[in-house]
């Protein structure tokens, strides 16, 4: 057989965070999460299946990847190959239009794009909900990148029902700004960071209790289109997730000195009357939920304060697509 497919998927930033697995092999999360898909950051990935290939190969950003990175991809592609009943090797070529492994959710767009391309190349053609259960097993956050707008990843009870659900298309003046504090590769992956947190953090039970409540409240806020409530829950949930890391043994944090300065500045901008709320993932970079119509004005204030740091505006992104 010989078949080639290519897909684009956008990153998503969680407003209610996923931070821990109850099953490390099946990527079943400890709690349900909810995100906003971003237009500005994405991955494009092509998959070529051919009987003439001896083994899988993987090129990322024009660099052939080592055996460890390639094995990760092979393992993921096996999920599709098993269902399709094939053993054909694949050539995977991917380009990230987002910094890789810097806490800007490259693993989300990466596995959503790879999964969608493989879904088509194998002829499986799973629907988006089922596809989300497959891409989940490449990276948990990828589950939510299958759809655009506000997306919930329902924790589910089994591998088959731990999937993404479209909540709202977010077409009510929603935007997100990213302040790039440091886009180098992190030293502790999300995967290892969350595992250490689940296993050792004194604050983990409180986090789970609180995240469940936050999810209910944020869905109410989205339903009412109450931007202030949406922002306040987003900011508080993100900070609680970072709090769990300080409660781990050994304690750790993804924050840098400049991160704190950016958060302080955002609070100041908010006091000036702009509606803007921050969140952060497993990295030092800061994301700001705001009205899309306010984004340029807020960007200007941030650029004045941090002239050396890129400040990037994004509108709401769409779901995964074949290209
Ligand atoms: P991030 O904050 O960027 O999501 P993670 O630690 O969750 O960081 O994941 C980064 C890892 O995801 C990379 O080290 C790599 O293994 C994988 N990854 C990133 N981009 C791609 C891609 N385009 N295709 C396949 N795998 C990717
Ligand atoms: C802080 O999805 O990158 O961004 O499932 O192990 O691949 P793995 O981890 P990943 O974790 C994302 C963590 C987060 C919060 C979130 O996106 O919900
Ligand atoms: Co990730």
């Amino acid at each position: 057989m010989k078949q080639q497919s290519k897909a684009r998927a956008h990153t998503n930033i969680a407003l209610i965070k996923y931070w821990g697995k109850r099953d490390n092999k099946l990527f079943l999360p400890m709690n349900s999460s909810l995100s906003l898909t971003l237009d500005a950051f994405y991955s494009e990935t092509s998959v070529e299946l051919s009987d003439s290939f001896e083994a899988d190969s993987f090129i990322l950003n024009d660099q052939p990847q080592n055996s460890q990175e390639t094995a990760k991809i092979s393992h993921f592609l096996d999920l599709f190959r098993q269902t399709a009943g094939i053993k054909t090797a694949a050539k995977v070529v991917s380009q990230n239009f987002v910094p890789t492994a810097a806490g800007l959710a490259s693993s989300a767009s990466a596995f959503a794009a790879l999964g969608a391309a493989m879904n088509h190349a194998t002829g499986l053609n799973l629907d988006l909900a089922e596809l989300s259960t497959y891409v989940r097993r490449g990276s948990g956050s990828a589950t939510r990148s299958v759809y655009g707008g506000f997306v919930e990843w329902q924790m589910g009870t089994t591998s088959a029902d731990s999937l993404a659900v479209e909540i709202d298309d977010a077409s009510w003046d929603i935007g997100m700004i990213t302040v790039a504090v440091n886009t180098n590769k992190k030293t502790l992956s999300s995967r290892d960071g969350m595992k250490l947190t689940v296993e050792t953090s004194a604050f983990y039970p409180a986090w789970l209790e609180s995240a469940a409540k936050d999810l209910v409240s944020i869905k109410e806020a989205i339903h009412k289109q109450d931007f202030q409530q949406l922002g306040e829950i987003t900011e508080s949930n993100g900070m609680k997730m970072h709090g769990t890391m300080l409660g781990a043994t050994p304690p750790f944090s993804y924050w840098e000195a400049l991160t704190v300065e950016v958060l302080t500045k955002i609070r100041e901008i908010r006091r000036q009357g702009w509606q803007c709320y921050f969140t952060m993932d497993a990295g030092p970079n800061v994301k700001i939920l705001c009205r899309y119509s306010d984004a340029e004005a807020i960007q200007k204030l941030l650029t004045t304060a941090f002239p050396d740091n890129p400040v990037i505006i994004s509108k709401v992104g769409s779901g995964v697509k074949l290209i």
Side-chain angles (χ1 to χ4, degrees), residues 171-191:
S171 61
W172 38 286
D173 197 12
I174 303 287
M176 191 167 263
I177 301 174
T178 298
V179 182
V181 167
N182 181 349
T183 55
N184 292 334
K185 195 172 153 94
K186 54 187 131 185
T187 49
L188 181 66
S189 70
S190 307
R191 192 156 306 169

Side-chain angles (χ1 to χ4, degrees), residues 43 45 58 60 69 72-73 94-96 99-108 110-111 139 185-186 189-190 282:
S43 301
T45 303
F58 173 35
L60 174 57
E69 284 294 323
K72 221 168 123 182
I73 296 294
S94 185
Q95 199 74 38
N96 277 343
T100 303
L104 291 167
S106 72
S107 67
F111 284 93
S139 180
K185 195 172 153 94
K186 54 187 131 185
S189 70
S190 307

Side-chain angles (χ1 to χ4, degrees), residues 16 19 25 27 41 48 60 71 85 101 104 110 113 119 121 154 161 170 174 247 287 289 299 305 313 315 320 323:
I16 303 299
W19 193 244
K25 195 164 166 275
F27 289 65
F41 302 107
E48 187 179 352
L60 174 57
L104 291 167
N119 185 34
Q154 298 185 340
D161 67 358
I174 303 287
K287 295 99 186 189
L289 183 69
Q299 181 192 42
I313 296 176
K315 54 184 188 204
V320 68
I323 52 175

Side-chain angles (χ1 to χ4, degrees), residues 94 96 121 126 166 190 212 225 290 293:
S94 185
N96 277 343
L126 309 168
E166 269 180 296
S190 307
Q225 301 194 351
C290 65
S293 56

Side-chain angles (χ1 to χ4, degrees), residues 93-128:
V93 180
S94 185
Q95 199 74 38
N96 277 343
F97 297 86
V98 57
T100 303
L104 291 167
S106 72
S107 67
S109 53
F111 284 93
L114 178 61
M118 186 64 174
N119 185 34
H120 187 253
T122 54
L124 277 178
N125 298 321
L126 309 168
D127 65 25
L128 289 176

